[in-house]
Amino acid sequence: VPLSRYPSTERDVTYKVATDTPYATIHAAALAGATDSIHIAIAPQAFYQAQDADTKNITLRFTLTPYEKTLSSDEANTLIDVVSARVIEATNATII
């Protein structure tokens, strides 16, 4: 991936999912929200599951790197909303 002339921005999102939901499913659904003009890098930040719980929390850091212009906060938030909608659809997650 070529370097961008525009600054990247980061957003952390925590998803609450069933304990049997694999990380790979969340990651694949999140990547499906990428566009040609914005590169999305995803890095896991935290995993938490209480003992005997039927859900777990997974925090992901999204690094958004635009190639056409600097992203405004609203544009970055909109993209994260699209990505999160795909994760929610694929995994029945909730955002916490």
Side-chain angles (χ1 to χ4, degrees):
V1 177
L3 294 177
S4 175
R5 299 182 316 170
Y6 305 100
S8 297
T9 186
E10 294 180 341
R11 298 286 192 275
D12 289 351
V13 181
T14 301
Y15 299 100
K16 185 177 195 176
V17 296
T19 56
D20 61 349
T21 302
Y23 169 76
T25 302
I26 297 169
H27 189 266
L31 281 180
T35 67
D36 291 336
S37 62
I38 300 173
H39 177 264
I40 299 176
I42 302 169
Q45 295 299 303
F47 294 86
Y48 174 76
Q49 180 179 344
Q51 189 171 6
D52 297 328
D54 58 349
T55 61
K56 61 185 174 184
N57 299 339
I58 298 176
T59 301
L60 302 179
R61 174 162 295 153
F62 295 96
T63 304
L64 311 174
T65 305
Y67 288 98
E68 295 178 351
K69 64 176 186 163
T70 300
L71 291 177
S72 69
S73 291
D74 289 340
E75 291 169 325
N77 291 338
T78 299
L79 183 57
I80 292 300
D81 289 344
V82 168
V83 168
S84 291
R86 291 186 183 267
V87 172
I88 290 167
E89 181 181 325
T91 64
N92 293 320
T94 56
I95 297 175
I96 56 172

